[in-house]
């Protein structure tokens, strides 16, 4: 890992197009300002890692659990359709 | 021409028209550049992204409106451009469903998969709205618990 010391107001430039500036240091919080081309995605790493872990977990489930998952959605869908049918039946009566 | 892919949900037949481009990969599967779009009555209403060269990973996707009522994801412009979207009707939004052992499944509402069906391009976006959970516990018995 490249380690650089920077003072508030100072920046680093990455790949000629991405600038990361230290805006303020307040105790153990550092405010960063990032300028990058629009197509560059920037996320808090813990959020990205959470989504990575969730995809990994979803993508590696066994067939049995996947069948159970589809059954539970199907049941819910059936219930919702039944409810809307009942609703329209009630509306028809009115 | 039909091809066959071995997956945890069985051997799946597909043609090249079922292939969807993933220009940004997927979080956790960054090297995946395409997915095979798959649906089957056996797993309805779940739809699938079958990933090749990812140790047989398959991503279960569901329509978020099955679990929430007022889900209005705001897709950032950069992704709208990436997906070459010309009109909102071209776009489908699906969410990754994660089965849990002996627990209700969770749905990732923060990071939906956005698909341009006509152009066969998809990207899993991360929405700015911090109120949307990555792991929304879907309890089919409790509709009122929906976060949006």
């Amino acid at each position: 890992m490249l380690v650089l010391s920077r003072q508030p107001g100072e920046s680093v430039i990455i790949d000629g197009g991405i600038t990361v500036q230290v805006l303020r240091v307040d105790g153990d919080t550092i405010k960063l300002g990032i300028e990058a081309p629009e197509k560059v995605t920037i996320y808090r790493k813990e959020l990205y890692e959470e989504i990575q872990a969730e995809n990994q977990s979803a993508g590696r489930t066994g067939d049995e659990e996947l069948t159970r998952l589809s059954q539970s959605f199907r049941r819910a869908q059936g219930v919702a359709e039944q409810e809307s049918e009942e609703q329209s039946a009630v509306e028809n009566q009115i | 021409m039909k091809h066959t892919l071995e997956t945890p949900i069985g051997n799946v037949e597909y043609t090249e028209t079922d292939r969807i481009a993933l220009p940004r990969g997927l979080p956790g599967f960054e090297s995946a550049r395409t997915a095979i779009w798959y649906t089957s009555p056996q797993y309805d209403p779940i739809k699938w992204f079958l990933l090749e060269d990812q140790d047989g990973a398959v991503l279960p996707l569901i329509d978020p409106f099955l679990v929430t009522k007022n889900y209005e994801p705001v897709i950032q412009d950069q992704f709208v451009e990436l997906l070459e979207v010309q009109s909102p009707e071209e776009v489908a939004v699906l969410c990754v469903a994660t089965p849990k052992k002996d627990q209700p499944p969770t749905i990732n509402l923060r990071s939906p998969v956005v698909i341009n069906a006509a152009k066969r391009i998809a990207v899993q976006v991360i929405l700015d709205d911090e109120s949307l959970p990555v792991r929304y516990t879907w309890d089919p018995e409790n509709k009122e618990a929906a976060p949006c």
Side-chain angles (χ1 to χ4, degrees):
Chain A
M1 184 190 281
L2 172 70
V3 180
L4 297 168
S5 295
R6 300 277 66 197
Q7 306 264 323
E10 293 181 335
S11 316
V12 297
I13 185 156
I14 302 165
D15 215 22
I18 300 167
T19 305
V20 182
Q21 186 179 21
V22 178
L23 296 178
R24 209 170 64 218
V25 183
D26 188 6
D28 58 2
T29 303
I30 296 164
K31 253 201 174 102
L32 299 174
I34 304 165
E35 278 182 289
E38 208 197 5
K39 67 175 171 58
V40 174
T41 56
I42 302 160
Y43 305 115
R44 288 183 172 84
K45 192 176 176 186
E46 61 273 18
L47 173 64
Y48 190 81
E49 285 175 338
E50 206 182 332
I51 292 163
Q52 274 183 319
E54 202 56 18
N55 275 357
Q56 284 277 349
S57 168
R60 307 235 179 263
T61 318
D63 181 40
E64 204 176 302
E65 278 159 299
L66 293 171
T67 305
R68 213 148 38 83
L69 180 71
S70 59
Q71 282 166 350
S72 58
F73 281 119
R74 205 147 44 210
R75 263 200 308 278
Q77 205 178 27
V79 169
E81 276 164 16
Q82 205 181 342
E83 273 175 10
S84 85
E85 275 168 27
E86 279 168 16
Q87 183 68 32
S88 53
V90 169
E91 279 163 13
N92 286 342
Q93 280 173 15
I94 295 166
Chain B
M1 198 179 94
K2 284 199 170 174
H3 308 273
T4 306
L5 187 68
E6 264 181 58
T7 79
I9 52 170
N11 287 348
V12 170
E13 282 202 336
Y14 69 95
T15 65
E16 283 307 311
T17 55
D18 299 321
R19 192 180 292 279
I20 292 180
L22 302 170
R24 291 287 172 88
L26 295 167
F29 304 101
E30 279 75 8
S31 63
R33 278 295 167 268
T34 66
I36 306 297
W37 172 253
Y38 176 64
T39 59
S40 142
Q42 190 190 346
Y43 293 105
D44 184 69
I46 297 178
K47 301 160 198 325
W48 303 91
F49 268 6
L50 312 177
L51 305 177
E52 299 158 291
D53 308 320
Q54 303 289 331
D55 296 327
V58 295
L59 219 52
L61 302 169
I62 64 134
D63 179 349
F65 296 101
L66 282 178
V67 296
T68 69
K69 279 181 188 150
N70 305 309
Y71 186 57
E72 286 176 16
V74 180
I75 314 296
Q76 298 95 327
D77 289 347
Q78 63 176 120
F79 297 119
V80 174
E81 254 173 61
L82 185 72
L83 290 168
E84 300 172 28
V85 177
Q86 268 141 14
S87 70
E89 299 85 66
E90 294 177 343
V91 172
V93 175
L94 295 169
C95 291
V96 177
T98 308
K100 303 274 148 112
K101 227 175 191 151
D102 308 321
Q103 280 173 45
T106 64
I107 316 297
N108 185 349
L109 297 177
R110 183 71 185 274
S111 184
V113 174
V114 186
I115 306 167
N116 181 338
K119 297 228 167 72
R120 296 196 183 84
I121 309 171
V123 64
Q124 187 170 9
V125 307
I126 300 179
L127 301 174
D128 295 329
D129 184 349
E130 293 188 3
S131 71
L132 293 172
V134 172
R135 276 181 291 272
Y136 165 57
T137 302
W138 179 63
D139 180 356
E141 310 301 324
N142 186 4
K143 282 188 183 172
E144 303 310 315
C148 49

